[in-house]
Amino acid sequence: MGDIPEGFEEFVATASPRLLRTAFLLTRDEGHAEDLLQTALARAWRAWGRVDGDPEPYVRRIIVNTHATWWRRRWRGEEPTERLPDRPSGAPQDVVGDREWLWQALGRLPRKQRAVLVLRFYEDLTEAQTAELMGCSVGTVKSQVSRALAKLRLDDTFAAEGVWR
Amino acid sequence: MNLSDLTEVLRDHAPRADAQVTARLAGVRARVAASRRRRAVGAAACVVLALVGVVYAVVPRAERSSEPATPERSFPEYQAGTRLAAQAWAELPSSSVVLRFVPKSLDFKVFVRCDIGQGVDLPMKLVIDGDEVLAGGCGTASGSSDWGTRGAEVGKPVVVTLTVGDEAVDHSRPSSPVTMPRPSSGAFGIAVGEAVPVDRYPFPPRPETLAEMPPPLTDPTFVVSADPADPDSPREFSIAWPGERFLHAQVNTPGRVRVLVNDVLVTDFFSWDYGIAGTQSMSSKDWGRVHGIAVAAGDPVRITVIPERLSGDWRVWLGEY
């Protein structure tokens, strides 16, 4: 096997903890997050010589796009006919319960919608940056954010079923 | 919930400590090495795959007619606004099931159900008249399409095929998923349901209490709610258009709600069960292209809400998201 590319080891040491957080928010499982991160880093290794500028956005893009196309490991929880869990019946000031519900509800979103929320509201990327990273238009990002937030807002079925195109 | 809650929840759950950098680098190194080994045997693998393809083609597959004789497993007679028209099931370890049916109209939905072990991910692929429409882990799904553009015709048989993979992954221990052969017990099925008009669809029994409508996530620009004395009465309002918005509709009982903007139908939403359900339109910036109506900030706009068979609460509003 060839030598490790120049600068790759330092990149893993400094950037991978941040990238792991993104991977975890997408996968919601420590094992899957590490698996996804290593998969992305291995792909970046092979393309290292072609990476121009800061490699972190490049690897983040691989993480997001790889996650979007992986076999859906918990498809039952992600398919569009399933209803989100009931909101806990606590008082309005039950902030902990609300946030736990929100975390669970995030896990039920389709992958692309979850990814767009992570990039917009955790990574704090702009709509244009999110669109570039996901390889789609700004309009698609806005639409995905809107749909994701609508689904979180509803506590329940957003779309009655999928539309196959 | 508001957007700052969302950001805080994401920050709260992102792992803080990460002491695995050395192990991670070793893992990446191993993956790169494995990838190179795989490429080295690629040519041989192609030959093997070709042989597997031949074997697959001659292995008998489960196939049933569109009207099976009282299957042990069954889809419900009514679901998602449709009435069951045909279904077919296969028992594992069979690898596929085929359903042929003759549509009486092109307003139908296709349903998939896999009854396999909890935490077991079995890849599946759904093909309708030669087009792959869905792929993923075998679970429960339903969908519809513009069948006419796919070549479907009333009176002409449609062939739906559900195929499952040879290998499954057991995720009962998420940190250490295990690859295993396709399970030998369980079943998977496909069904077709034909649309039933909302005025003839049998809704499920009404619960004693209806779900409470949650508040909108962001401050809405315009809200109209059901008249408690007559939830099915149409409502009409005129407003000055606030700028780019999404139109939302939400209900807590089954029924239909249509929303017209300047007499053009923008939202036509159905719910077939009790509980909170809803939809939101595309951005109003795209309405000109899709609906043929252009609305700009400040324009006088008439919004008409037409409920049908709604018996509880409903709400229509404009939001920035």
Side-chain angles (χ1 to χ4, degrees):
Chain A
M1 185 180 146
D3 290 336
I4 193 164
E6 185 179 350
F8 186 83
E9 193 167 355
E10 292 78 9
F11 172 76
V12 172
T14 57
S16 71
R18 289 192 294 275
L19 294 167
L20 179 68
R21 292 185 195 112
T22 304
F24 177 80
L25 292 175
L26 295 176
T27 62
R28 305 163 62 81
D29 177 278
E30 290 180 12
H32 291 164
E34 186 68 37
D35 188 15
L36 177 60
L37 176 58
Q38 290 190 20
T39 299
L41 288 170
R43 290 181 185 176
W45 171 314
R46 293 192 286 272
W48 197 249
R50 303 193 299 274
V51 178
D52 190 20
D54 182 4
E56 189 167 335
Y58 175 78
V59 178
R60 184 170 284 108
R61 182 183 299 129
I62 297 176
I63 288 172
V64 171
N65 292 329
T66 300
H67 179 252
T69 55
W70 262 4
W71 278 111
R72 299 178 193 179
R73 292 179 170 175
R74 295 197 185 91
W75 192 55
R76 283 190 189 82
E78 296 183 351
E79 63 89 18
T81 61
E82 184 159 280
R83 296 189 167 224
L84 292 172
D86 291 337
R87 182 184 284 275
S89 56
Q93 62 270 29
D94 185 2
V95 174
V96 174
D98 275 358
R99 289 189 177 178
E100 183 54 31
W101 177 89
L102 179 56
W103 174 244
Q104 296 301 328
L106 279 164
R108 305 275 177 156
L109 291 177
R111 291 184 178 197
K112 285 187 178 174
Q113 290 181 13
R114 195 188 317 152
V116 84
L117 291 189
V118 169
L119 295 173
R120 288 282 288 119
F121 299 110
Y122 175 74
E123 300 287 352
D124 205 22
L125 302 185
T126 65
E127 287 171 344
Q129 289 169 327
T130 303
E132 183 184 358
L133 192 148
M134 296 184 74
C136 62
S137 68
V138 171
T140 299
V141 168
K142 292 181 78 164
S143 169
Q144 291 285 318
V145 168
S146 175
R147 287 174 181 277
L149 294 179
K151 198 163 185 176
L152 294 178
R153 180 191 298 121
L154 287 176
D155 307 2
D156 215 305
T157 303
F158 166 64
E161 68 276 327
V163 175
W164 298 325
R165 299 184 191 284
Chain B
M1 187 199 86
N2 56 46
L3 295 180
S4 62
D5 285 341
L6 178 57
T7 300
E8 286 179 21
V9 165
L10 291 169
R11 286 180 180 158
D12 286 349
H13 284 83
R16 289 180 172 77
D18 177 29
Q20 302 186 48
V21 171
T22 305
R24 178 170 305 133
L25 197 58
V28 174
R29 190 187 289 270
R31 282 162 198 257
V32 172
S35 169
R36 288 175 178 168
R37 282 196 301 274
R38 280 197 299 273
R39 280 207 296 272
V41 298
C46 286
V47 174
V48 173
L49 282 174
L51 290 172
V52 170
V54 170
V55 172
Y56 178 84
V58 299
V59 169
R61 291 179 287 166
E63 182 168 334
R64 303 182 185 185
S65 71
S66 62
E67 295 193 9
T70 320
E72 288 181 18
R73 301 171 192 266
S74 180
F75 288 84
E77 182 180 5
Y78 289 96
Q79 60 177 331
T82 69
R83 182 175 187 186
L84 184 64
Q87 62 179 318
W89 288 85
E91 299 286 331
L92 289 169
S94 292
S95 62
S96 72
V97 60
V98 178
L99 173 65
R100 299 175 201 277
F101 78 103
V102 180
K104 296 174 185 165
S105 84
L106 296 185
D107 193 1
F108 61 85
K109 292 176 183 170
V110 177
F111 299 88
V112 171
R113 201 175 95 200
C114 295
D115 294 340
I116 54 178
Q118 284 283 334
V120 175
D121 181 11
L122 180 63
M124 70 95 188
K125 183 171 68 175
L126 182 67
V127 175
I128 300 179
D129 277 350
D131 286 344
E132 181 181 307
V133 298
L134 188 65
C138 210
T140 303
S142 65
S144 57
S145 184
D146 184 355
W147 301 114
T149 63
R150 290 179 176 275
E153 296 175 19
V154 172
K156 175 183 154 190
V158 171
V159 180
V160 184
T161 306
L162 177 64
T163 306
V164 297
D166 293 329
E167 286 189 343
V169 180
D170 183 351
H171 289 283
S172 54
R173 294 177 59 196
S175 58
S176 54
V178 177
T179 301
M180 61 185 210
R182 181 192 313 146
S184 57
S185 65
F188 51 100
I190 42 184
V192 171
E194 291 177 332
V196 177
V198 69
D199 61 338
R200 296 210 301 269
Y201 190 81
F203 292 154
R206 186 183 180 92
E208 287 187 10
T209 56
L210 297 177
E212 192 174 332
M213 300 281 267
L217 176 60
T218 53
D219 288 340
T221 312
F222 163 83
V223 184
V224 56
S225 301
D227 177 355
D230 185 7
D232 244 6
S233 64
R235 310 282 292 276
E236 185 170 299
F237 297 87
S238 293
I239 62 169
W241 193 251
E244 182 183 6
R245 289 293 186 277
F246 293 83
L247 180 63
H248 299 258
Q250 197 172 53
V251 301
N252 67 355
T253 66
R256 177 186 191 184
V257 59
R258 281 171 286 176
V259 185
L260 287 69
V261 176
N262 288 345
D263 298 326
V264 175
L265 184 67
V266 170
T267 293
D268 191 1
F269 177 68
F270 298 85
S271 178
W272 305 106
D273 204 349
Y274 288 91
I276 304 296
T279 186
Q280 120 273 358
S281 71
M282 64 184 66
S283 165
S284 59
K285 280 175 62 178
D286 297 322
W287 291 358
R289 175 173 51 83
V290 177
H291 301 301
I293 51 167
V295 286
D299 285 355
V301 169
R302 186 172 60 259
I303 296 178
T304 309
V305 183
I306 306 174
E308 184 177 353
R309 286 193 74 190
L310 289 172
S311 57
D313 200 4
W314 55 258
R315 182 192 292 147
V316 170
W317 75 94
L318 296 172
E320 289 189 44
Y321 280 113

PDB file of all heavy atoms in Angstrom, chain A residues 103-117:
ATOM      1  N   TRP A 103     -35.441  15.891  19.149  1.00  0.00           N
ATOM      2  CA  TRP A 103     -34.314  15.050  18.730  1.00  0.00           C
ATOM      3  C   TRP A 103     -34.832  13.758  18.094  1.00  0.00           C
ATOM      4  O   TRP A 103     -34.338  13.316  17.059  1.00  0.00           O
ATOM      5  CB  TRP A 103     -33.416  14.756  19.930  1.00  0.00           C
ATOM      6  CG  TRP A 103     -32.312  13.782  19.662  1.00  0.00           C
ATOM      7  CD1 TRP A 103     -32.149  12.545  20.219  1.00  0.00           C
ATOM      8  CD2 TRP A 103     -31.197  13.956  18.766  1.00  0.00           C
ATOM      9  NE1 TRP A 103     -31.022  11.945  19.722  1.00  0.00           N
ATOM     10  CE2 TRP A 103     -30.422  12.786  18.840  1.00  0.00           C
ATOM     11  CE3 TRP A 103     -30.809  14.991  17.912  1.00  0.00           C
ATOM     12  CZ2 TRP A 103     -29.251  12.620  18.086  1.00  0.00           C
ATOM     13  CZ3 TRP A 103     -29.647  14.815  17.151  1.00  0.00           C
ATOM     14  CH2 TRP A 103     -28.891  13.651  17.256  1.00  0.00           C
ATOM     15  N   GLN A 104     -35.845  13.166  18.708  1.00  0.00           N
ATOM     16  CA  GLN A 104     -36.417  11.940  18.144  1.00  0.00           C
ATOM     17  C   GLN A 104     -37.076  12.239  16.788  1.00  0.00           C
ATOM     18  O   GLN A 104     -36.942  11.458  15.846  1.00  0.00           O
ATOM     19  CB  GLN A 104     -37.453  11.346  19.106  1.00  0.00           C
ATOM     20  CG  GLN A 104     -36.880  10.887  20.438  1.00  0.00           C
ATOM     21  CD  GLN A 104     -35.813   9.824  20.279  1.00  0.00           C
ATOM     22  OE1 GLN A 104     -35.868   9.013  19.351  1.00  0.00           O
ATOM     23  NE2 GLN A 104     -34.812   9.833  21.148  1.00  0.00           N
ATOM     24  N   ALA A 105     -37.767  13.371  16.718  1.00  0.00           N
ATOM     25  CA  ALA A 105     -38.450  13.705  15.466  1.00  0.00           C
ATOM     26  C   ALA A 105     -37.449  13.957  14.339  1.00  0.00           C
ATOM     27  O   ALA A 105     -37.682  13.593  13.187  1.00  0.00           O
ATOM     28  CB  ALA A 105     -39.338  14.934  15.665  1.00  0.00           C
ATOM     29  N   LEU A 106     -36.303  14.554  14.687  1.00  0.00           N
ATOM     30  CA  LEU A 106     -35.259  14.764  13.673  1.00  0.00           C
ATOM     31  C   LEU A 106     -34.817  13.428  13.074  1.00  0.00           C
ATOM     32  O   LEU A 106     -34.521  13.334  11.886  1.00  0.00           O
ATOM     33  CB  LEU A 106     -34.055  15.469  14.296  1.00  0.00           C
ATOM     34  CG  LEU A 106     -34.161  16.984  14.458  1.00  0.00           C
ATOM     35  CD1 LEU A 106     -33.098  17.481  15.439  1.00  0.00           C
ATOM     36  CD2 LEU A 106     -33.981  17.669  13.113  1.00  0.00           C
ATOM     37  N   GLY A 107     -34.770  12.422  13.925  1.00  0.00           N
ATOM     38  CA  GLY A 107     -34.339  11.104  13.453  1.00  0.00           C
ATOM     39  C   GLY A 107     -35.315  10.458  12.502  1.00  0.00           C
ATOM     40  O   GLY A 107     -34.979   9.515  11.801  1.00  0.00           O
ATOM     41  N   ARG A 108     -36.541  10.960  12.475  1.00  0.00           N
ATOM     42  CA  ARG A 108     -37.547  10.378  11.595  1.00  0.00           C
ATOM     43  C   ARG A 108     -37.615  11.081  10.247  1.00  0.00           C
ATOM     44  O   ARG A 108     -38.362  10.655   9.371  1.00  0.00           O
ATOM     45  CB  ARG A 108     -38.930  10.467  12.247  1.00  0.00           C
ATOM     46  CG  ARG A 108     -38.990   9.832  13.623  1.00  0.00           C
ATOM     47  CD  ARG A 108     -39.251   8.376  13.508  1.00  0.00           C
ATOM     48  NE  ARG A 108     -39.246   7.733  14.808  1.00  0.00           N
ATOM     49  CZ  ARG A 108     -39.868   6.611  15.074  1.00  0.00           C
ATOM     50  NH1 ARG A 108     -40.557   6.008  14.140  1.00  0.00           N
ATOM     51  NH2 ARG A 108     -39.786   6.060  16.251  1.00  0.00           N
ATOM     52  N   LEU A 109     -36.888  12.148  10.116  1.00  0.00           N
ATOM     53  CA  LEU A 109     -36.936  12.868   8.838  1.00  0.00           C
ATOM     54  C   LEU A 109     -36.234  12.075   7.744  1.00  0.00           C
ATOM     55  O   LEU A 109     -35.275  11.343   8.030  1.00  0.00           O
ATOM     56  CB  LEU A 109     -36.244  14.223   8.973  1.00  0.00           C
ATOM     57  CG  LEU A 109     -36.926  15.287   9.837  1.00  0.00           C
ATOM     58  CD1 LEU A 109     -36.046  16.527   9.911  1.00  0.00           C
ATOM     59  CD2 LEU A 109     -38.285  15.635   9.274  1.00  0.00           C
ATOM     60  N   PRO A 110     -36.643  12.223   6.508  1.00  0.00           N
ATOM     61  CA  PRO A 110     -35.869  11.651   5.407  1.00  0.00           C
ATOM     62  C   PRO A 110     -34.439  12.198   5.441  1.00  0.00           C
ATOM     63  O   PRO A 110     -34.205  13.321   5.915  1.00  0.00           O
ATOM     64  CB  PRO A 110     -36.607  12.147   4.169  1.00  0.00           C
ATOM     65  CG  PRO A 110     -37.979  12.442   4.631  1.00  0.00           C
ATOM     66  CD  PRO A 110     -37.851  12.911   6.052  1.00  0.00           C
ATOM     67  N   ARG A 111     -33.512  11.419   4.935  1.00  0.00           N
ATOM     68  CA  ARG A 111     -32.096  11.773   5.099  1.00  0.00           C
ATOM     69  C   ARG A 111     -31.747  13.144   4.554  1.00  0.00           C
ATOM     70  O   ARG A 111     -30.998  13.902   5.167  1.00  0.00           O
ATOM     71  CB  ARG A 111     -31.225  10.720   4.419  1.00  0.00           C
ATOM     72  CG  ARG A 111     -31.284   9.419   5.150  1.00  0.00           C
ATOM     73  CD  ARG A 111     -30.356   8.418   4.550  1.00  0.00           C
ATOM     74  NE  ARG A 111     -30.426   7.204   5.333  1.00  0.00           N
ATOM     75  CZ  ARG A 111     -29.532   6.236   5.290  1.00  0.00           C
ATOM     76  NH1 ARG A 111     -28.508   6.346   4.497  1.00  0.00           N
ATOM     77  NH2 ARG A 111     -29.667   5.164   6.027  1.00  0.00           N
ATOM     78  N   LYS A 112     -32.267  13.466   3.382  1.00  0.00           N
ATOM     79  CA  LYS A 112     -31.885  14.751   2.783  1.00  0.00           C
ATOM     80  C   LYS A 112     -32.431  15.907   3.610  1.00  0.00           C
ATOM     81  O   LYS A 112     -31.783  16.944   3.743  1.00  0.00           O
ATOM     82  CB  LYS A 112     -32.352  14.827   1.333  1.00  0.00           C
ATOM     83  CG  LYS A 112     -31.493  13.973   0.428  1.00  0.00           C
ATOM     84  CD  LYS A 112     -31.825  14.156  -1.030  1.00  0.00           C
ATOM     85  CE  LYS A 112     -30.898  13.314  -1.890  1.00  0.00           C
ATOM     86  NZ  LYS A 112     -31.256  13.350  -3.303  1.00  0.00           N
ATOM     87  N   GLN A 113     -33.621  15.734   4.142  1.00  0.00           N
ATOM     88  CA  GLN A 113     -34.187  16.812   4.957  1.00  0.00           C
ATOM     89  C   GLN A 113     -33.398  16.964   6.255  1.00  0.00           C
ATOM     90  O   GLN A 113     -33.153  18.073   6.723  1.00  0.00           O
ATOM     91  CB  GLN A 113     -35.660  16.518   5.253  1.00  0.00           C
ATOM     92  CG  GLN A 113     -36.536  16.650   4.013  1.00  0.00           C
ATOM     93  CD  GLN A 113     -37.997  16.382   4.298  1.00  0.00           C
ATOM     94  OE1 GLN A 113     -38.426  16.327   5.443  1.00  0.00           O
ATOM     95  NE2 GLN A 113     -38.774  16.198   3.239  1.00  0.00           N
ATOM     96  N   ARG A 114     -32.993  15.840   6.847  1.00  0.00           N
ATOM     97  CA  ARG A 114     -32.190  15.926   8.071  1.00  0.00           C
ATOM     98  C   ARG A 114     -30.853  16.595   7.757  1.00  0.00           C
ATOM     99  O   ARG A 114     -30.358  17.440   8.506  1.00  0.00           O
ATOM    100  CB  ARG A 114     -31.966  14.532   8.648  1.00  0.00           C
ATOM    101  CG  ARG A 114     -31.456  14.561  10.085  1.00  0.00           C
ATOM    102  CD  ARG A 114     -31.061  13.171  10.555  1.00  0.00           C
ATOM    103  NE  ARG A 114     -32.037  12.171  10.159  1.00  0.00           N
ATOM    104  CZ  ARG A 114     -31.740  10.897   9.945  1.00  0.00           C
ATOM    105  NH1 ARG A 114     -30.516  10.460  10.091  1.00  0.00           N
ATOM    106  NH2 ARG A 114     -32.673  10.046   9.584  1.00  0.00           N
ATOM    107  N   ALA A 115     -30.272  16.221   6.626  1.00  0.00           N
ATOM    108  CA  ALA A 115     -28.967  16.786   6.255  1.00  0.00           C
ATOM    109  C   ALA A 115     -29.061  18.294   6.065  1.00  0.00           C
ATOM    110  O   ALA A 115     -28.190  19.043   6.511  1.00  0.00           O
ATOM    111  CB  ALA A 115     -28.454  16.122   4.975  1.00  0.00           C
ATOM    112  N   VAL A 116     -30.115  18.739   5.435  1.00  0.00           N
ATOM    113  CA  VAL A 116     -30.216  20.167   5.160  1.00  0.00           C
ATOM    114  C   VAL A 116     -30.412  20.946   6.464  1.00  0.00           C
ATOM    115  O   VAL A 116     -29.888  22.052   6.627  1.00  0.00           O
ATOM    116  CB  VAL A 116     -31.332  20.430   4.123  1.00  0.00           C
ATOM    117  CG1 VAL A 116     -32.696  20.519   4.759  1.00  0.00           C
ATOM    118  CG2 VAL A 116     -31.057  21.664   3.316  1.00  0.00           C
ATOM    119  N   LEU A 117     -31.103  20.373   7.428  1.00  0.00           N
ATOM    120  CA  LEU A 117     -31.247  21.041   8.728  1.00  0.00           C
ATOM    121  C   LEU A 117     -29.914  21.071   9.473  1.00  0.00           C
ATOM    122  O   LEU A 117     -29.563  22.074  10.102  1.00  0.00           O
ATOM    123  CB  LEU A 117     -32.299  20.334   9.579  1.00  0.00           C
ATOM    124  CG  LEU A 117     -33.748  20.440   9.115  1.00  0.00           C
ATOM    125  CD1 LEU A 117     -34.686  19.871  10.186  1.00  0.00           C
ATOM    126  CD2 LEU A 117     -34.139  21.868   8.807  1.00  0.00           C
TER     127      LEU A 117
END
